[in-house]
Amino acid sequence: MRNNYLRLSESLQSKIKQDRKNGVVNPNRCDDSEALRRDADRDKASLWRPAFVRDTEKILHLPYYNRYADKTQVFSFYNNDDITRRALHVQLVSRIARNIGAVLGLNLDLIEAISLGHDIGHTPFGHAGERFLSQLLYKETGMYFNHNVHSVRVLDKLFSRNITLQTLDGALCHNGEFEQMEYKPAYGKTFDEFDKETEDCYVKGKSAIEKLVPSTLEGCVVRICDMIAYLGKDRQDARIAKIIDNDYQFKSGMENSFIINNLTVDIIENSYGKDYILLSNEAYNMLKSAKLENNRVIYQNEAINSQYNEIIKPMFSELYYKLLNDIINKNEESIIYRHHIKFILQSKKYYSQDDYLAEEPNQIVADFIASMTDDYFIALHEKCFPNSKYKIKYKSYFSSDKKTF
């Protein structure tokens, strides 16, 4: 596989073409008729807005969707319009997953809905921000914060948009940190089972998340495509950010186009006609080695992590406890009331009568911080702590600094 761009075998291409000619339908695809909503009397499918199209449009029109554009993927401290933000990442996941799903005969509308919504609960400053927020929430409540679980909360609770079980489940189970060779859906999952899984993630954290299995083939495809979408793109961004030299050669020899093409072909070659998603042993090992190399060269790089740990982490703590104190003291002039609580109440009023203010104060603070873009977080911290010693130093558009790797 290494250094060679794969193509589907001629025998499989012939079979796929013949199946299409004969009108063969994948019996394991999630049909629109299987869509389950908490309120079955609302959001009825129509010819022009089928079930999962409705989910996609609900997600696109959520206020938080627009915030993807200023949420860090990996590289936070760069004024550079060519470095990936989450808005591009979710689109790449959707595109790659739909390419695979189209050949496997899956429901492309469901794939799109899961892809575009899977990171809607992500914090500012990427996985570092997620880690810092989880540490604070756990210290105060014993509950963990994880972005995939919070994506479900945003879609299902904060905005109460009556999203289907299949889309919510795909978002919950998408976590791209845990690669597998085989992804076999837990077919037939109910809302009760899904809610239990979600609650376990709050209480048990990673140990529960590691056991999550999507309930649809579509969810399985999105899960593997989340990894495919970021592995090579992060390598491209590392060069743009001068974390590595332009001529740096990854030992695995894999660049973005190679990763996307070869894993896509391998998944189709090994999964067509099956009720699960399968990678070859070679592709699985390639995926694991690429993740390990990214972790060593990029994600654990001191040039990236120093500002996160030395500046962003204490900023999270200062802001968290300031906002928590404002809620406990019912300070309705606080930004958390004016920019978050009132906003959520206004957004929910046509969809749910839940009393958001009755929620645990720490959860409300976590909701607010998770909703922030990088820029908003920095601006709010500066407003609340104008004399703070913690300041972000951005690499300028015009910086001549040499690489830091």
Side-chain angles (χ1 to χ4, degrees), residues 349-368:
K349 71 178 184 178
Y350 298 111
Y351 300 92
S352 171
Q353 301 303 313
D354 294 345
D355 182 5
Y356 183 53
L357 279 170
E359 297 235 16
E360 214 284 342
N362 286 276
Q363 182 62 68
I364 297 175
V365 173
D367 291 341
F368 186 28

Side-chain angles (χ1 to χ4, degrees), residues 131-145 317 320-321 324 360 362:
R131 184 169 65 253
F132 301 150
L133 185 55
S134 186
Q135 289 167 355
L136 292 163
L137 185 64
Y138 184 81
K139 178 182 177 182
E140 296 301 321
T141 68
M143 306 287 277
Y144 293 95
F145 179 95
S317 183
Y320 184 98
Y321 287 109
L324 181 61
E360 214 284 342
N362 286 276

Side-chain angles (χ1 to χ4, degrees), residues 46-72:
S46 63
L47 286 174
W48 62 97
R49 293 186 73 202
F52 299 118
V53 169
R54 296 183 74 92
D55 280 0
T56 297
E57 292 176 352
K58 286 169 179 286
I59 292 166
L60 284 169
H61 288 289
L62 277 182
Y64 286 7
Y65 187 87
N66 200 43
R67 300 184 190 183
Y68 274 140
D70 186 38
K71 291 212 177 194
T72 293

Side-chain angles (χ1 to χ4, degrees), residues 48-111:
W48 62 97
R49 293 186 73 202
F52 299 118
V53 169
R54 296 183 74 92
D55 280 0
T56 297
E57 292 176 352
K58 286 169 179 286
I59 292 166
L60 284 169
H61 288 289
L62 277 182
Y64 286 7
Y65 187 87
N66 200 43
R67 300 184 190 183
Y68 274 140
D70 186 38
K71 291 212 177 194
T72 293
Q73 186 66 13
V74 175
F75 304 92
S76 297
F77 311 113
Y78 296 83
N79 289 323
N80 192 313
D81 296 333
D82 294 326
I83 289 177
T84 304
R85 294 291 190 264
R86 291 210 175 268
L88 176 58
H89 170 69
V90 298
Q91 291 169 339
L92 291 173
V93 174
S94 179
R95 182 66 268 158
I96 298 165
R98 287 167 67 193
N99 284 346
I100 294 171
V103 181
L104 297 183
L106 303 182
N107 192 319
L108 303 190
D109 293 335
L110 175 55
I111 285 175

Side-chain angles (χ1 to χ4, degrees), residues 26 84 155-156 171 210 264 277 279 323-324 328 344 386 405:
N26 187 338
T84 304
L155 297 171
D156 196 32
E210 289 175 356
T264 294
I277 302 301
L279 283 77
L323 298 170
L324 181 61
I328 291 172
I344 293 295
F405 177 70

